[in-house]
Amino acid sequence: MNTPRHVPVLLDRVVALLAPALDHPGAVLVDATLGLGGHSEAVLNACPEARLIGVDRDPNALRMAGERLAPHAARTTFVHAVYDEIPDVLADLGLPSVDGVLFDLGVSSMQLDVRERGFAYAEDAPLDMRMDDTHGTTAADVLNTYPVEELARILHQYGEEKFARRIAQTIVKEREKEPFTRSARLVELLYAAIPAPARRTGGHPAKRTFQALRIEVNDELNVLRRAIPAAVEAIGVGGRVVVESYHSLEDRLVKHAFSAATRSDVPPDMPVVPAGHEPTHRLVTRGAERAVEPEITENPRAASVRLRAIERIREGAVA
Ligand SMILES: C[S@@+](CC[C@H](N)C(=O)[O-])C[C@H]1O[C@@H](n2cnc3c(N)ncnc32)[C@H](O)[C@@H]1O
């Protein structure tokens, strides 16, 4: 049986937002973060005319989602790619535009559950944290090689860690004795570096540092900064992009990309917007939608979700 952590976040809402864009023959959904395929499965069930292009940078996710979605094999295509490569993926498939793009950002429950991948701080494991574990820089590489200022910046910016500088200095001192390889030593260091009063109020002392390392290892924000405008451009008229973010930095990028697409290119002091200069897109959600109870209790990941959606209303490049 599925544990509550495996339940896709805001599942019904995501399906309701995508369904109107996918209710015609030949409609195409790109799930940019296929994961275990939970959202995709629900959309395929609700939209019998739609086909799915499932993208993930994690080959293990593609294999597992492939098994889950086997009953829909005639309507699914799986692609191993980073989601800022979606324009190339669509060009290779001969698709000038699509009808829906879904992003459910962050790590999957499967990635958290496999101890050896090093995403979870609760157990001792290799400091890896790569979503694509076939190549690239690991968390241990970051800890063992980055200059102290860079480590402090990452912890402060990506982890919103108040003690970023102090932690970075301790990491650099410790790695001179012996390079970091496993998470238990890092967690121990964080307990020592974060003062006791802050430890009592600020959640687990490793949470923010682990989040920051994960974002850096996977270059998450730079990839997202390129991917959202590309997805907004990729949808045809009536098409929708739906994004679930779990971090304020992610949500800010999404909000900015969406407001750029819903603005007209006409100066704001013009009394009327001339024909052909109307915005190309409209917001489908008002602000960011949040999860409510009982979902938050049943699925802790839902507590931090912010969902935004946008729809294309006319042809043309974003102003
Ligand atoms: C939260 S999970 C998605 C869960 C999915 N919605 C479900 O219902 O099972 C996020 C997935 O996105 C993938 N991912 C994260 N960043 C990515 C990127 N830049 N490009 C492609 N896949 C990415 C991760 O490997 C992970 O499998």
Side-chain angles (χ1 to χ4, degrees), residues 105 220-221 224 245-254:
L105 303 176
E220 291 179 29
L221 295 173
L224 187 65
S245 318
Y246 298 87
H247 186 287
S248 54
L249 294 172
E250 291 170 346
D251 184 55
R252 202 174 311 155
L253 286 179
V254 177

Side-chain angles (χ1 to χ4, degrees), residues 102-175:
L102 170 63
F103 292 85
D104 176 20
L105 303 176
V107 276
S108 71
S109 47
M110 178 271 285
Q111 289 164 334
L112 285 168
D113 286 347
V114 179
R115 190 171 60 116
E116 295 305 299
R117 302 196 61 175
F119 287 106
Y121 46 74
E123 287 180 284
D124 186 31
L127 285 160
D128 189 324
M129 298 198 203
R130 292 167 302 166
M131 289 187 194
D132 180 350
D133 57 1
T134 61
H135 69 281
T137 303
T138 66
D141 296 333
V142 172
L143 290 168
N144 292 328
T145 62
Y146 276 30
V148 68
E149 304 76 33
E150 194 57 6
L151 282 173
R153 182 190 67 78
I154 290 165
L155 296 180
H156 172 70
Q157 229 178 324
Y158 300 163
E160 297 172 293
E161 173 55 70
K162 279 207 281 289
F163 302 99
R165 172 147 290 275
R166 186 198 293 215
I167 294 169
Q169 284 165 342
T170 316
I171 289 169
V172 170
K173 207 159 78 202
E174 281 296 311
R175 78 187 184 195

Side-chain angles (χ1 to χ4, degrees), residues 37-232:
H39 281 111
S40 280
E41 181 178 59
V43 174
L44 286 168
N45 286 336
C47 306
E49 295 182 296
R51 57 183 270 239
L52 168 75
I53 298 167
V55 173
D56 206 294
R57 71 194 298 178
D58 182 346
N60 306 295
L62 290 166
R63 185 174 38 76
M64 291 171 77
E67 285 167 18
R68 177 181 195 160
L69 300 176
H72 301 285
R75 294 196 280 148
T76 54
T77 307
F78 299 108
V79 185
H80 181 218
V82 181
Y83 52 53
D84 64 344
E85 297 166 325
I86 284 174
D88 297 331
V89 170
L90 298 183
D92 288 349
L93 293 169
L95 290 168
S97 69
V98 294
D99 304 282
V101 187
L102 170 63
F103 292 85
D104 176 20
L105 303 176
V107 276
S108 71
S109 47
M110 178 271 285
Q111 289 164 334
L112 285 168
D113 286 347
V114 179
R115 190 171 60 116
E116 295 305 299
R117 302 196 61 175
F119 287 106
Y121 46 74
E123 287 180 284
D124 186 31
L127 285 160
D128 189 324
M129 298 198 203
R130 292 167 302 166
M131 289 187 194
D132 180 350
D133 57 1
T134 61
H135 69 281
T137 303
T138 66
D141 296 333
V142 172
L143 290 168
N144 292 328
T145 62
Y146 276 30
V148 68
E149 304 76 33
E150 194 57 6
L151 282 173
R153 182 190 67 78
I154 290 165
L155 296 180
H156 172 70
Q157 229 178 324
Y158 300 163
E160 297 172 293
E161 173 55 70
K162 279 207 281 289
F163 302 99
R165 172 147 290 275
R166 186 198 293 215
I167 294 169
Q169 284 165 342
T170 316
I171 289 169
V172 170
K173 207 159 78 202
E174 281 296 311
R175 78 187 184 195
E176 277 160 16
K177 295 181 199 154
E178 195 188 339
F180 284 92
T181 54
R182 297 185 67 88
S183 59
R185 182 166 164 228
L186 177 64
V187 173
E188 201 178 305
L189 174 156
L190 293 167
Y191 266 105
I194 296 175
R199 283 207 306 268
R200 279 194 290 275
T201 55
H204 192 289
K207 186 174 166 201
R208 293 174 296 278
T209 292
F210 270 60
Q211 171 179 291
L213 287 170
R214 194 201 85 205
I215 291 175
E216 174 64 17
V217 163
N218 297 290
D219 197 20
E220 291 179 29
L221 295 173
N222 289 323
V223 172
L224 187 65
R225 193 174 289 117
R226 295 187 287 271
I228 299 291
V232 166

